[in-house]
Amino acid sequence: MEITVTKEMVNLLKDRIHETCRTPDNRRVLENMAKPIQAVLEIVETKVKPQAVYRMLPLLTSDEKKVMTSAGAIESRMFASLVNRCKNNRQIIFMIATIGDELEKGLCSKHDILSQWIYDVTGSELMEIVADEVENRIKEIAEQQQLELSLRFSPGYCDWPLKGQQVIFSGLDAKKINVRLTPHKMMIPKKSISCIMMSAESVPVKNQCLLCSKKQCPYRRS
Amino acid sequence: MENTKILEKLESAVFGQDVNGFDAAMGNALNNKTDHSHIEQSLINGLDRVRKKLLSNESSLPELLISLDLTADGLKRLKKEMTDTTGETEPVTVVIGVVEGDPHDLGKNIISLIYESYGYRVTDLGAHVPKEEFIKRIKEERPDILALSAMMSTTMSSMPDIIEEAKKMAPKTLVMVGGAPLDERLAKDYGADGYAESAVTVIEETHKVLGSRGNLRRLP
């Protein structure tokens, strides 16, 4: 799936970068930052070609510890707890999205720490925007089939070990979008997202954080 | 222009992220043959003021980064001019790196630059550094500080092993850790001597850990 970086996406990205860069006193964006921000946005508009792959796999079995799919077991009690609350036509959606390595290349060419930081922030924010776009497209397709979706869930978060990447990469053709795993299960290009979502006719709890007792967790989505 | 005024302008430029003002002040300081240690101290004073402002949430990370870039640039220009290094105190040495499996090195780069700006001699091993590489460098360099960074909960679990080995290899080397998934309690549990929450506090925390070693640059 090719994702075109639209004007709206660039504007949203610009807003988010500016929000991150604002000074606390008068909420201004420093003049020194205008040039590097402009430069990075130009790369986003002209060079970055986000891509994604996704696939719906039927859920085979599930117990309180894990969820089985044809690509392998998702070993997360929290996700299993969410899955076990879902009813009818239960499927797991596997998804990998990337913005490629153009911003990484740009970052590596910069010697000042400010520019490196701007490139990094831009890459992370753009990746989130792209992942939201892919999720929205999948959601539209699911809705046409009267299916609901849970929020995205990635290996390395909550109680799902990073080795869970292997399951996602077994279930999808990541080569198609030039994303690969290192032996430590990190993705290359760095600005990539891999995740699963639960899909069923009824997904009563969409956010598994609501099932978790760790109220102070820094990654909690509430 | 007298030296005091030049140094004040230099400090203000770093503090105020005034790139043009900085170039002029730095040029004046060098042309005026201002004492290099005074120039260095003015750069650090400016950076320190931004850091303290950020500590009380009156400043932002980008402001700190601009000031940090200016300080690093100033120190680089100063180094080029330096011919006589006799009488200089031996700097505190740091070996820094992000643990294996973790590719996030921007935070570490910022800490590394902060250390350098404050006069520490830094060996930056980069990101995704295997335990063996840390141990090899500790053996070779016997640094005062080993600084370990991890941005992911999945990779920070290798820290205790590295710390244990490092302590065996070089008992005098002090270990600082930092990164998003860590806190002070975890750092202690892992056997680290100190924990720095961010680039804003790393100097004070390191200073605390080094205690009365005597070879540490005085903090403004």
Side-chain angles (χ1 to χ4, degrees):
Chain A
M1 181 194 284
E2 296 256 338
I3 314 289
T4 308
V5 179
T6 61
K7 269 270 167 244
E8 290 73 28
M9 284 164 112
V10 174
N11 287 338
L12 179 60
L13 179 63
K14 199 171 171 182
D15 286 348
R16 288 195 188 173
I17 300 170
H18 281 177
E19 196 48 45
T20 315
C21 293
R22 279 185 210 290
T23 57
D25 49 0
N26 52 12
R27 310 277 302 144
R28 74 201 155 100
V29 175
L30 298 167
E31 275 173 37
N32 323 27
M33 305 196 69
K35 244 188 186 170
I37 291 175
Q38 193 50 43
V40 76
L41 288 175
E42 259 175 53
I43 296 178
V44 168
E45 284 184 283
T46 57
K47 292 189 175 167
V48 176
K49 307 270 179 249
Q51 296 186 89
V53 281
Y54 76 94
R55 194 175 158 200
M56 279 183 170
L57 288 180
L59 187 151
L60 301 178
T61 58
S62 66
D63 57 30
E64 59 176 28
K65 286 184 192 164
K66 61 181 184 299
V67 176
M68 281 304 298
T69 70
S70 57
I74 296 156
E75 293 178 356
S76 158
R77 280 177 177 269
M78 294 309 297
F79 188 67
S81 172
L82 181 147
V83 164
N84 291 331
R85 287 171 162 81
C86 300
K87 287 191 181 80
N88 303 331
N89 199 2
R90 299 192 302 171
Q91 297 180 75
I92 309 291
I93 295 165
F94 287 56
M95 165 185 148
I96 301 172
T98 184
I99 59 165
D101 61 1
E102 286 300 332
L103 291 180
E104 253 171 76
K105 283 191 232 162
L107 188 152
C108 291
S109 70
K110 296 292 165 193
H111 299 294
D112 62 305
I113 205 85
L114 177 73
S115 296
Q116 289 179 23
W117 180 78
I118 290 172
Y119 273 75
D120 190 67
V121 167
T122 304
S124 299
E125 293 291 357
L126 179 62
M127 190 61 254
E128 280 299 322
I129 291 169
V130 167
D132 287 347
E133 171 67 21
V134 179
E135 184 182 332
N136 284 337
R137 291 193 196 180
I138 297 172
K139 204 172 181 180
E140 277 173 24
I141 296 166
E143 277 170 0
Q144 285 165 12
Q145 300 170 38
Q146 273 79 51
L147 295 172
E148 295 180 351
L149 289 188
S150 68
L151 297 187
R152 302 196 297 263
F153 183 41
S154 299
Y157 283 88
C158 193
D159 63 343
W160 194 15
L162 199 58
K163 67 175 186 189
Q165 291 276 43
Q166 204 56 62
V167 186
I168 298 180
F169 277 72
S170 301
L172 290 171
D173 185 5
K175 273 189 201 150
K176 228 170 157 178
I177 56 168
N178 296 314
V179 179
R180 64 182 172 88
L181 282 182
T182 69
H184 287 86
K185 312 298 175 213
M186 301 305 301
M187 286 179 286
I188 293 177
K190 279 187 202 170
K191 298 298 181 193
S192 303
I193 280 182
S194 63
C195 63
I196 52 171
M197 287 176 275
M198 180 61 195
S199 158
E201 280 176 26
S202 167
V203 182
V205 180
K206 295 180 175 60
N207 175 6
Q208 68 192 49
C209 293
L210 300 176
L211 304 170
C212 180
S213 59
K214 288 180 191 160
K215 306 276 185 231
Q216 302 304 319
C217 173
Y219 302 105
R220 190 175 178 89
R221 297 175 289 189
S222 51
Chain B
M1 200 188 295
E2 61 181 283
N3 275 337
T4 321
K5 281 259 184 298
I6 292 172
L7 293 171
E8 274 172 16
K9 280 196 184 274
L10 189 59
E11 181 182 325
S12 298
V14 173
F15 174 63
Q17 295 90 39
D18 175 4
V19 178
N20 296 332
F22 170 81
D23 272 339
M26 196 65 204
N28 280 338
L30 292 174
N31 291 337
N32 239 31
K33 307 250 180 272
T34 311
D35 190 316
H36 283 180
S37 67
H38 293 164
I39 297 177
E40 208 175 327
Q41 195 57 53
S42 297
L43 294 169
I44 293 172
N45 287 349
L47 179 62
D48 224 50
R49 284 169 62 194
V50 185
R51 241 175 17 93
K52 282 174 182 154
K53 246 182 112 182
L54 183 53
L55 202 57
S56 53
N57 291 322
E58 293 169 62
S59 180
S60 60
L61 180 62
E63 286 170 278
L64 176 71
L65 297 184
I66 297 169
S67 295
L68 190 54
D69 277 328
L70 292 178
T71 307
D73 183 43
L75 291 173
K76 209 163 103 208
R77 285 160 73 172
L78 212 50
K79 217 172 179 182
K80 262 192 200 162
E81 298 273 321
M82 276 163 130
T83 45
D84 182 13
T85 54
T86 50
E88 266 192 26
T89 51
E90 195 62 23
V92 176
T93 52
V94 181
V95 166
I96 190 169
V98 183
V99 298
E100 189 169 20
D102 198 331
H104 302 98
D105 62 352
L106 187 62
K108 182 269 302 162
N109 290 349
I110 295 172
I111 299 290
S112 187
L113 200 54
I114 291 236
Y115 272 138
E116 277 177 5
S117 298
Y118 278 84
Y120 293 64
R121 192 168 66 214
V122 179
T123 303
D124 188 340
L125 303 182
H128 187 47
V129 182
K131 181 173 91 175
E132 296 70 28
E133 178 64 16
F134 276 118
I135 302 304
K136 186 176 153 239
R137 287 309 187 96
I138 292 163
K139 193 177 173 186
E140 284 168 7
E141 299 190 20
R142 305 275 163 180
D144 297 301
I145 306 267
L146 167 67
L148 300 174
S149 163
M151 287 305 286
M152 299 164 66
S153 52
T154 42
T155 51
M156 71 175 187
S157 56
S158 64
M159 279 184 167
D161 261 7
I162 300 170
I163 295 171
E164 197 186 336
E165 284 276 322
K167 293 267 174 200
K168 269 188 218 157
M169 177 62 62
K172 284 187 182 166
T173 294
L174 297 162
V175 183
M176 294 288 300
V177 296
L182 291 152
D183 62 15
E184 203 156 3
R185 193 181 57 80
L186 261 179
K188 211 172 244 177
D189 289 349
Y190 284 2
D193 299 289
Y195 161 74
E197 192 189 353
S198 68
V200 187
T201 58
V202 68
I203 290 301
E204 277 79 6
E205 292 303 325
T206 307
H207 190 229
K208 215 192 283 174
V209 165
L210 281 164
S212 56
R213 280 220 167 166
N215 59 351
L216 181 70
R217 178 188 303 281
R218 186 183 64 81
L219 282 175

